[in-house]
DNA sequence: CTACGGTCCTAA
DNA sequence: TGAGTTAGGACCGTAG
């Protein structure tokens, strides 16, 4: 044993005595997946539930006996006596496709009274055939044979359409057995048995076999909303990078792996250790495990992970950097057992273990990709870890609310969550859901929301904002919009339905829906459940004092809100599983009417004629909000009127539609549709924040210079109310820019490379192509963000000809086209901000002394900047020196050589210090300016600063070398 | 020179 | 196989 550190006991609590005949077992499942029962002759599908008990024992529960199935409408005149004949006929057809040696493929055919959710047809249940199969493969073949008409029964094609045939086995199981994501499962006595040793396949403490119809699935309510004591491993690696080079697994050893294991709900980690290569000074409250061979260290770490047996593994960017690095490194060192760590012994997976959370970040794919969980470092630790645990809890709550398994939240989209809920609602009322056959081109676009024409300008008076809360969900509830309530003219006549009393006509092409009194829609019920649950969660949150319970509740209310909002998107997803334009287009049509009506109501009520001090004016509005200038000059009045207006307008609409007063902007800068900034007040004492929408500060396709300048100017204007200070600042930056005083990291622009085939030439696309020619390996690929700077080029050259890789620019001393940055990046955003405030005077920003620079940049040779030669200049007086001479000073400055050497020496030292500092910072990008960024992606200002610093060190050292020739 | 389409990214 | 929606500003290149 190389390790000199003491090993603690890390294992889980020992297993209590459990007698399956007498005792029940309850556990919280944290993941559900499917597998094939290796001990069944028929290779039956089987469910696996991973989880842990309240005591913290890990559980793997196999659930047997659940068979996949789907429905078809029973053929005309089908009687229960026909079942046997139908069954053997379909069995025969299946046997023909899948020779199974006589083994049964179609397990069961049953007649069930069901109703399609598609359209209102007078609440009539009809006979459907429920077809259960021995496995999913067979199910899919049967589905195809029925859908394409190749299966016939009594010489007639059967159905064509199938119902619920595209629901995945795992989700089908969960829905039927009322299992939701991450809920508690109870196995009553006599309903389960422990696996025999030979049946075990995991490191879990309890491996159990249960049946699908003999367990209790507890809804996550009351006591069952608790969270089991998850063991959470967080780790962080350090590589011994060669000086100035980003670590590569083939070269650079892992020198340290720091780990913490925390039990969910406990304050402090119960394991803190560091695996180090070679010796390491003791660290407070941390076990130091020293190894003298890297392979041994990696192997020991792997064993540690197996032993600590975490339920969840988190770390800063583990999925993108740390884990791949460790695995590559282990491969390089031939640590063969390495990639096998995790819960399942032997079962090798190419991807990482199921319980590894690669992504705990809400937002778009981009922010998701650069997930930062935390760094196991310094003082950041407790808060960062806490944040990520909260994140984990939010996900658990999302899984519970929507009913999907945990992993779906990371790997699947929004639709599956709605589908899960829809199925759960549908099954209660014996509805069946048609499987969408072909994705043919029915994608007629539909009209979206209204954006009120803005009265652009700078408002130095309070602007009150009124918002409809959950607009689209509330519209669907108020008008009972659903698949099950949509009714056509023919059905209206058949069933003798009366307009207004039985059904309503929506503003979208006269789509009609029956009212809730005739039939309550499924979607409105889902939304009601979600929103009332949210109300409850928010109320409980108010009362709760325990921070963990608060976190659970907050995660819950957030999950409920997001879920409610995605229902509309689901009905409008033309390429999705169940698009319904009548619903989605009616929702937006109502929304358009409502925002217009709100504007009218506010402007006609709050008038001087009605006794108010001023006439109110709606100066802007988007989708579900209106910005109102009541004309008052103070926050208190603006808020009071906002409250009054919200209540007044709410009264004009159907329940549960509600207009709310939320905030006042003061001052408010309205630049354009979807572009504004303002100081945000929810009480009249203190502003909450500077709110910025759509403008350059929040856009990723701008360089940092533009983001920072605009941000600073907005703060100076809106918070400090210092317009002249903002102007002076902007002028200073422009002057700095033109004098090349701006660090290149501020000038890097990044844009996503989203297609492989572009019609128009663009800077990032052209650069990616050029980089591919230079070095296909390191060039950006589809989906990457391409970083570039604009360099000097021939006069009139297009931007796409002047884009260049920032690294290349640094390494080759290529001059930046600063005037491009002024004219094409900075000037328009600055003018847009200052024009509403300064009027025509804003133009002076872009002309004047600060824009006149003595140009002493190197002249360029033609357009081929790559070959530009930097003429060496004298260190003392900057006079150009003769080419090819290995000198640093001209003859006049020779006497000052000693002094200049000292100066150069300190420059080198300075650069080295700076480089070292940036290197530390860059290793994990902590504290990067705006977000957690992936260092290895070229989308990180610190990374460029570090690159630049590295080059500075090299250049300065080279100059220092040259002194050798001087004496 | 203007108009317009392609592209990116954001608001809601 | 698996994918929420539309509105809209801003920039750039190119056709006319």
């Amino acid at each position: 044993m190389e390790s000199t550190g003491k090993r603690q006991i890390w294992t889980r609590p020992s297993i209590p005595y459990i007698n399956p005949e007498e005792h029940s077992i309850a556990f919280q499942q944290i993941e559900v997946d499917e597998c094939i029962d290796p001990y069944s002759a028929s290779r039956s599908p089987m469910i696996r539930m991973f989880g842990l008990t309240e005591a913290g024992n890990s559980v793997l529960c196999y659930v047997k006996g659940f068979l996949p199935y789907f429905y078809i409408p029973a053929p005309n005149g089908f009687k229960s006596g026909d079942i046997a004949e139908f069954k053997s006929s379909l069995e025969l057809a299946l046997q023909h496709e899948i020779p199974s040696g006589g083994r049964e493929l179609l397990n069961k055919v049953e007649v069930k009274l069901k109703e399609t959710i598609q359209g209102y047809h007078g609440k009539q249940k009809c006979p459907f055939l429920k077809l259960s199969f021995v496995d999913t493969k067979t199910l899919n073949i049967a589905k195809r044979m029925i859908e394409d008409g190749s299966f016939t029964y009594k010489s007639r094609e059967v159905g064509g359409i199938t119902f619920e045939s595209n629901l995945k086995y795992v989700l089908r199981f969960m829905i039927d057995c009322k299992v939701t994501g991450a809920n508690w499962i109870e196995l009553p006595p006599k309903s389960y048995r422990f696996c025999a040793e030979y049946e075990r396949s995991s490191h879990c403490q309890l491996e159990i076999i249960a049946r699908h119809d003999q367990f209790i699935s507890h809804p996550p309510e009351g006591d069952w909303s608790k969270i089991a004591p998850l063991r959470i491993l967080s780790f962080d690696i350090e590589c011994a990078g060669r000086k100035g080079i980003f670590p590569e697994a083939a070269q650079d050893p892992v020198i340290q792996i720091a780990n913490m294991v925390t039990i969910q709900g406990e304050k402090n980690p119960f394991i803190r250790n560091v695996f180090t290569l070679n010796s390491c000074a003791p660290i407070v409250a941390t076990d130091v495990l020293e190894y003298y061979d890297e392979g041994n260290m990696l192997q020991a770490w792997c064993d540690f992970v197996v032993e600590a047996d975490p339920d969840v593994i988190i770390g800063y960017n583990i999925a993108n950097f740390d884990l791949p690095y460790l695995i590559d490194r282990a491969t390089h060192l031939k640590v063969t057992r390495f990639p096998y760590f995790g819960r399942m012994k032997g079962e090798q997976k190419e991807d990482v273990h199921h319980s590894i959370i690669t992504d705990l970040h809400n937002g778009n794919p981009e922010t998701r990709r650069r997930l930062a969980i935390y760094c196991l470092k310094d003082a950041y630790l407790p808060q960062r870890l806490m944040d990520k645990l909260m994140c984990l809890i939010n996900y658990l709550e999302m899984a519970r609310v929507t009913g999907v398994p945990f992993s779906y939240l990371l790997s699947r989209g929004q639709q599956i969550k709605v589908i899960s809920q829809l199925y759960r609602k549908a099954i209660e009322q014996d509805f069946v859901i048609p499987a969408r056959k072909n994705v043919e081109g029915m994608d007629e676009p539909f009209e979206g929301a209204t954006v009120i024409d803005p009265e652009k300008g700078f408002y130095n008076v309070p602007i009150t904002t009124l918002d409809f809360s959950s607009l689209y969900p509330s519209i669907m509830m108020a008008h009972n919009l659903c698949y099950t309530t949509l009714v056509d003219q023919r059905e209206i006549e058949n069933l003798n339905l009366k307009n207004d009393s039985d059904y309503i006509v929506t503003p979208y092409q006269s789509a009609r829906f029956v009212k809730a009194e005739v039939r309550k829609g499924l979607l409105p019920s889902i939304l009601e459940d979600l929103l009332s649950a949210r109300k409850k969660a928010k109320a409980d949150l108010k009362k709760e004092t325990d921070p963990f319970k608060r976190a659970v509740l907050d995660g819950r209310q957030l999950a409920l809100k997001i879920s409610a909002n995605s229902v509309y998107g689901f009905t409008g997803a033309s390429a999705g599983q169940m698009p319904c334009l009548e619903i989605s287009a009616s929702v937006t049509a109502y929304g358009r009417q409502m925002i217009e009506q709100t504007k009218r109501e506010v402007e006609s009520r709050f008038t001087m004629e009605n006794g108010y001090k001023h006439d109110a004016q709606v100066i802007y509005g988007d989708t579900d909000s209106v910005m109102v200038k009541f004309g008052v000059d103070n926050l208190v009045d603006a808020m009071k009127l906002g409250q009054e207006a919200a209540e007044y307008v709410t009264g004009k609409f159907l329940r549960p539609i509600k207009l709310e007063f939320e905030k006042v902007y003061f001052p408010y800068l309205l630049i354009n549709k979807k572009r504004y900034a303002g100081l945000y007040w929810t009480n009249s004492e203190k502003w909450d924040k500077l709110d910025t929408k759509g403008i350059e500060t929040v856009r990723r396709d701008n360089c940092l210079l533009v983001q920072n300048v605009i941000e600073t100017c907005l703060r100076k204007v809106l918070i400090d109310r210092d317009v002249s200070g903002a102007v002076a600042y902007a002028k200073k930056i422009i002057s700095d820019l033109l004098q090349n005083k701006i660090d290149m990291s501020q000038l890097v622009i990044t844009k996503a490379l989203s297609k492989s085939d572009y019609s128009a030439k663009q800077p990032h696309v052209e650069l990616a192509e050029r980089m591919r020619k230079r070095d296909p390996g390191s060039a950006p690929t589809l989906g990457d963000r391409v970083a570039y700077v604009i360099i000097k080029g021939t006069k009139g050259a297009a931007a796409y000809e002047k884009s260049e890789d920032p690294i290349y620019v640094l390494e080759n001393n290529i001059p930046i086209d600063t005037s491009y940055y002024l004219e094409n990046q900075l000037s328009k955003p600055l003018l847009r901000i200052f024009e509403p405030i300064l009027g025509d005077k804003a133009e002076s920003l872009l002309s004047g002394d600060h824009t006149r620079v003595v140009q002493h940049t190197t002249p360029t040779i033609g357009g081929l900047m790559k070959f530009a030669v930097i003429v060496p200049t004298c260190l003392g007086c900057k006079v150009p020196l003769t080419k090819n001479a290995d000198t640093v000073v001209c003859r006049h400055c020779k006497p000052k050589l000693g002094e200049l050497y000292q100066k150069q020496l300190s420059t080198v030292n300075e650069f080295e210090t700076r480089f070292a500092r940036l290197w530390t910072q860059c290793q994990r990008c902590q504290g990067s300016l705006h977000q957690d960024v992936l260092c290895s992606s070229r989308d990180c200002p610190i990374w460029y600063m570090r690159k630049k610093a590295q080059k500075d060190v090299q250049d300065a050292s080279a100059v220092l070398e040259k002194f050798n020739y001087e004496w």
Side-chain angles (χ1 to χ4, degrees):
Chain A
M1 187 64 193
E2 283 188 79
S3 170
T4 55
K6 268 195 211 134
R7 282 177 69 96
Q8 286 175 238
I9 301 301
W10 295 317
T11 47
R12 289 178 183 267
S14 56
I15 312 164
Y17 169 72
I18 302 170
N19 179 354
E21 294 297 311
E22 290 174 29
H23 301 124
S24 65
I25 296 182
F27 64 96
Q28 184 189 10
Q29 47 88 9
I30 55 172
E31 181 59 328
V32 183
D33 69 6
E34 64 177 283
C35 63
I36 285 169
D37 182 355
Y39 302 103
S40 81
S42 52
R43 301 184 54 73
S44 309
M46 183 166 71
I47 292 291
R48 287 193 305 202
M49 296 197 277
F50 294 89
L52 63 159
T53 66
E54 194 165 14
N57 295 119
S58 55
V59 176
L60 169 51
C61 176
Y62 299 98
V63 182
K64 296 190 179 186
F66 185 79
L67 293 182
Y69 67 88
F70 65 81
Y71 294 99
I72 56 171
N76 278 339
F78 195 91
K79 302 274 186 308
S80 55
D82 299 327
I83 289 178
E85 190 185 345
F86 182 93
K87 182 169 187 289
S88 54
S89 154
L90 182 54
E91 177 74 44
L92 194 67
L94 287 169
Q95 292 285 352
H96 194 260
E97 293 274 334
I98 316 168
S100 73
R103 184 172 55 85
E104 183 183 70
L105 295 171
L106 174 60
N107 178 269
K108 203 193 263 183
V109 176
E110 298 159 274
V111 179
K112 300 272 180 185
L113 287 178
K114 297 278 178 182
E115 177 182 0
T116 175
I117 65 159
Q118 202 67 259
Y120 179 75
H121 307 285
K123 301 188 182 182
Q124 270 215 331
K125 302 291 179 212
C126 310
F128 278 75
L129 301 186
K130 179 182 174 183
L131 313 175
S132 305
F133 302 89
V134 293
D135 57 32
T136 53
K137 185 184 164 203
T138 310
L139 179 145
N140 284 321
I141 286 171
K143 168 183 160 73
R144 182 181 55 71
M145 290 195 308
I146 289 170
E147 285 178 351
D148 69 16
S150 63
F151 169 64
T152 57
Y153 168 66
K154 294 188 171 168
S155 321
R156 279 219 292 270
E157 282 183 18
V158 174
I161 188 162
T162 60
F163 288 74
E164 313 200 348
S165 58
N166 45 8
L167 190 58
K168 289 272 171 288
Y169 178 67
V170 172
L171 204 50
R172 173 88 271 175
F173 160 78
M174 291 176 72
I175 289 164
D176 286 26
C177 299
K178 305 206 166 9
V179 175
T180 70
N183 75 332
W184 286 81
I185 303 293
E186 188 177 344
L187 307 170
K190 300 184 202 299
S191 75
Y192 65 96
R193 68 174 176 85
F194 290 110
C195 286
E197 197 53 44
Y198 75 91
E199 291 174 303
R200 290 179 63 99
S201 64
S202 78
H203 297 291
C204 291
Q205 291 176 294
L206 300 170
E207 269 189 61
I208 303 168
I209 296 177
R211 283 197 53 84
H212 74 103
D213 48 3
Q214 290 178 18
F215 66 83
I216 303 164
S217 184
H218 292 283
E221 293 157 9
D223 186 44
W224 296 111
S225 64
K226 66 193 169 188
I227 288 181
L230 296 165
R231 293 162 76 96
I232 298 153
L233 164 68
S234 35
F235 77 94
D236 185 47
I237 67 174
E238 296 284 340
C239 313
R242 285 154 293 160
K243 205 176 183 185
I245 297 170
F246 202 77
E248 288 167 40
Q251 299 261 346
D252 305 304
V254 175
I255 53 168
Q256 191 172 311
I257 310 174
N259 306 279
M260 291 201 330
V261 183
T262 314
I263 301 280
Q264 159 62 32
E266 288 178 10
K267 269 212 173 80
N268 296 308
F270 76 99
I271 303 175
R272 276 184 92 124
N273 65 28
V274 181
F275 289 69
T276 66
L277 189 57
N278 303 325
S279 61
C280 174
I283 302 170
V284 182
T286 303
D287 291 318
V288 177
L289 305 165
E290 295 174 356
Y291 296 85
Y292 297 95
D293 175 87
E294 192 194 354
N296 289 350
M297 179 183 74
L298 294 180
Q299 188 65 68
W301 182 75
C302 176
D303 295 342
F304 159 72
V305 174
V306 170
E307 189 183 337
D309 191 25
D311 300 299
V312 176
I313 302 179
I314 60 181
Y316 182 94
N317 199 28
I318 48 169
N320 288 319
F321 179 76
D322 291 11
L323 268 179
Y325 196 95
L326 286 173
I327 290 168
D328 289 350
R329 193 70 198 145
T331 312
H332 183 75
L333 296 172
K334 304 193 169 44
V335 181
T336 46
R337 257 170 56 216
F338 193 79
Y340 299 87
F341 73 86
R343 276 286 178 77
M344 304 309 294
K345 63 188 185 190
E347 184 188 342
Q348 190 183 3
K349 287 188 174 181
E350 318 81 70
D351 57 346
V352 290
H353 182 250
H354 79 271
S355 66
I356 289 169
I357 293 165
T358 58
D359 172 354
L360 286 175
H361 211 93
N362 289 315
N364 59 41
E366 193 53 38
T367 60
R368 227 180 280 154
R369 200 164 59 82
R370 57 169 71 147
L371 154 81
I373 298 187
Y374 87 113
C375 293
L376 191 69
K377 269 185 191 162
D378 315 332
Y380 281 105
L381 187 55
Q383 192 48 52
R384 295 267 260 177
L385 179 59
M386 246 16 270
D387 289 351
K388 298 316 157 187
L389 292 185
M390 297 297 109
C391 217
L392 174 71
I393 289 170
N394 289 356
Y395 268 83
L396 287 176
E397 286 304 314
M398 180 63 93
R400 287 176 163 183
V401 163
T402 59
V404 300
F406 191 92
S407 61
Y408 278 32
L409 299 177
L410 309 177
S411 61
R412 307 284 297 267
Q414 297 294 319
Q415 289 204 46
I416 195 72
K417 300 186 213 168
V418 182
I419 289 172
S420 162
Q421 293 170 83
L422 189 58
Y423 268 93
R424 285 167 199 271
K425 257 304 180 237
I427 209 169
E428 288 173 11
Q429 297 176 47
D430 283 321
F431 281 110
V432 286
I433 297 171
R436 196 176 148 140
K437 264 172 62 184
N438 37 13
V439 194
E440 91 282 350
M442 71 147 285
D443 30 32
E444 298 159 41
F446 66 95
E447 198 178 338
T450 295
V451 184
I452 294 174
D453 250 343
E455 295 290 334
K456 302 174 206 174
F458 177 69
Y459 293 86
N460 205 356
V461 290
I463 299 296
T464 304
T465 306
L466 307 173
D467 291 75
F468 284 104
S469 61
S470 301
L471 177 69
Y472 288 177
S474 69
I475 289 174
M476 295 174 87
M477 288 187 277
H479 301 106
N480 199 36
L481 308 183
C482 183
Y483 303 96
T484 59
T485 57
L486 179 64
V487 63
D488 61 22
Q489 192 56 42
R490 193 172 54 89
E491 211 64 90
I492 284 169
E493 285 161 19
N494 280 348
L495 301 166
N496 196 22
L497 299 173
K498 297 280 175 291
N499 194 355
D500 282 345
S501 59
D502 296 330
Y503 69 92
I504 51 131
V505 180
T506 78
Y508 168 70
Q509 290 182 11
S510 308
R512 290 169 286 268
F513 293 86
V514 296
K515 299 186 77 167
E517 299 84 62
V518 176
R519 165 190 277 168
K520 179 74 171 269
L522 298 181
L523 297 181
S525 325
I526 290 172
L527 292 168
E528 271 170 31
D529 291 353
L530 290 171
L531 293 180
S532 68
R534 177 164 188 242
K535 231 181 213 169
K536 186 170 178 306
K538 284 177 98 170
D540 291 349
L541 180 62
K542 255 190 190 151
K543 286 180 286 179
E544 187 60 63
T545 51
D546 178 89
F548 288 106
K549 289 181 182 162
R550 281 184 63 90
V552 173
L553 289 170
D554 196 49
R556 190 173 178 80
Q557 69 86 13
L558 194 71
L560 289 160
K561 181 191 169 143
I562 294 171
S563 303
N565 284 330
S566 53
V567 173
Y568 150 79
F570 176 77
T571 64
S574 54
Q577 301 234 21
M578 264 219 295
C580 183
L581 246 58
E582 287 85 353
I583 297 175
S584 47
S586 294
V587 169
T588 56
Y590 275 121
R592 291 192 297 277
Q593 286 188 349
M594 287 164 64
I595 194 170
E596 291 294 348
Q597 188 183 340
T598 302
K599 177 169 150 60
R600 278 200 310 276
E601 301 281 3
V602 169
E603 288 183 344
S604 61
R605 159 109 185 185
F606 295 84
T607 59
M608 295 202 280
E609 203 176 321
N610 287 343
Y612 292 90
K613 283 196 183 133
H614 310 85
D615 286 338
Q617 187 195 2
V618 171
I619 58 161
Y620 179 57
D622 185 346
T623 310
D624 61 355
S625 65
V626 286
M627 276 46 163
V628 190
K629 188 176 81 174
F630 282 111
V632 295
D633 61 2
N634 65 85
L635 287 158
V636 176
D637 287 345
M639 289 177 175
K640 218 169 63 203
L641 287 165
Q643 203 61 256
E644 185 185 338
E647 281 164 30
Y648 172 73
V649 175
T650 298
K652 304 279 177 182
F653 292 103
L654 286 177
R655 213 194 54 82
I657 290 167
K658 193 176 173 204
L659 187 70
E660 288 180 330
F661 160 72
E662 205 188 328
K663 57 184 177 279
V664 169
Y665 286 117
F666 179 39
Y668 185 57
L669 178 61
L670 180 51
I671 292 168
N672 217 330
K673 284 185 174 177
K674 301 191 189 283
R675 260 141 240 251
Y676 60 82
L679 208 54
Y680 182 116
W681 303 71
T682 48
N683 66 74
S684 53
E685 304 302 316
K686 173 82 183 96
W687 50 270
D688 297 74
K689 60 180 173 182
L690 176 67
D691 204 18
T692 309
K693 295 295 160 98
I695 41 193
E696 286 72 16
T697 50
V698 298
R699 294 183 64 89
R700 288 170 306 162
D701 53 354
N702 276 276
C703 63
L704 280 177
L705 175 72
V706 174
Q707 289 189 23
N708 291 340
V709 170
I710 299 296
E711 167 93 17
T712 306
C713 288
L714 285 175
R715 299 192 87 85
K716 284 185 188 293
V717 170
L718 298 173
I719 300 177
D720 308 338
R721 308 227 177 195
D722 179 10
V723 176
S724 56
V727 172
Y729 172 79
K731 285 185 172 175
K732 173 73 167 71
I733 294 290
I734 289 171
S735 157
D736 284 353
L737 172 67
L738 295 180
Q739 292 175 69
N740 277 318
K741 287 184 184 167
I742 302 286
D743 192 282
M744 196 202 68
S745 65
Q746 296 278 305
L747 302 177
V748 176
I749 302 167
T750 68
K751 275 196 164 70
L753 192 64
S754 61
K755 308 163 73 173
S756 52
D757 185 29
Y758 283 90
S759 56
K761 289 179 172 173
Q762 290 183 87
H764 68 293
V765 180
E766 296 296 303
L767 173 62
E769 183 56 36
R770 269 180 273 139
M771 287 171 73
R772 195 158 34 247
K773 282 178 184 152
R774 267 179 227 159
D775 177 11
S778 70
T781 54
L782 203 69
D784 285 350
R785 293 187 72 78
V786 183
Y788 63 92
V789 289
I790 298 295
I791 57 170
K792 283 214 161 94
T794 46
K795 206 164 176 256
Y800 68 82
E801 299 172 282
K802 299 195 291 180
S803 57
E804 190 46 271
D805 178 5
I807 314 296
Y808 193 86
V809 167
L810 275 180
E811 285 169 354
N812 297 281
N813 277 337
I814 297 170
I816 301 276
D817 187 348
T818 50
S819 67
Y820 173 89
Y821 281 89
L822 177 58
E823 284 159 25
N824 298 60
Q825 295 283 125
L826 209 44
S827 72
K828 283 180 185 161
L830 276 175
L831 283 180
R832 279 196 288 268
I833 282 175
F834 281 109
E835 218 148 37
I837 302 164
L838 299 174
D840 294 340
K841 278 181 278 181
E843 298 286 347
S844 70
L845 272 171
L846 304 174
S847 53
D849 288 347
H850 63 288
T851 60
R852 279 186 275 282
V853 209
V854 186
Q855 290 281 347
H856 47 62
T857 44
T858 332
T860 62
I861 303 164
L864 300 169
M865 285 319 306
K866 333 177 172 176
F867 304 115
V869 177
I870 308 294
V871 181
T873 55
C874 166
L875 274 179
C877 62
K878 306 289 179 209
V879 77
L881 297 171
T882 335
K883 258 170 101 180
N884 299 327
D886 271 322
T887 53
V888 283
V889 291
C890 66
R891 57 195 165 85
H892 302 293
C893 294
K894 201 95 182 182
K896 290 194 285 181
L897 198 63
E899 183 195 325
L900 289 167
Y901 179 78
Q902 285 305 320
K903 203 173 151 200
Q904 186 64 23
L905 197 61
S906 72
T907 306
V908 172
N909 285 336
E910 219 171 87
F911 282 144
E912 274 182 344
T913 311
R914 178 178 150 79
F915 174 74
R917 199 167 52 75
L918 284 168
W919 168 251
T920 323
Q921 221 177 96
C922 190
Q923 269 204 328
R924 251 354 151 270
C925 263
Q926 26 180 321
S928 76
L929 299 179
H930 289 298
Q931 69 266 67
D932 296 311
V933 198
L934 212 70
C935 262
S936 53
S937 91
R938 301 184 163 189
D939 192 8
C940 167
I942 296 195
W943 198 69
Y944 288 111
M945 292 203 292
R946 188 172 65 76
K947 266 290 194 190
K948 170 85 158 48
Q950 180 194 352
K951 179 144 176 55
D952 288 343
V953 172
Q954 285 166 0
D955 289 356
S957 307
V959 171
L960 204 59
E961 288 276 309
K962 287 190 186 173
F963 276 89
N964 292 332
Y965 296 96
E966 300 282 356
W967 30 52

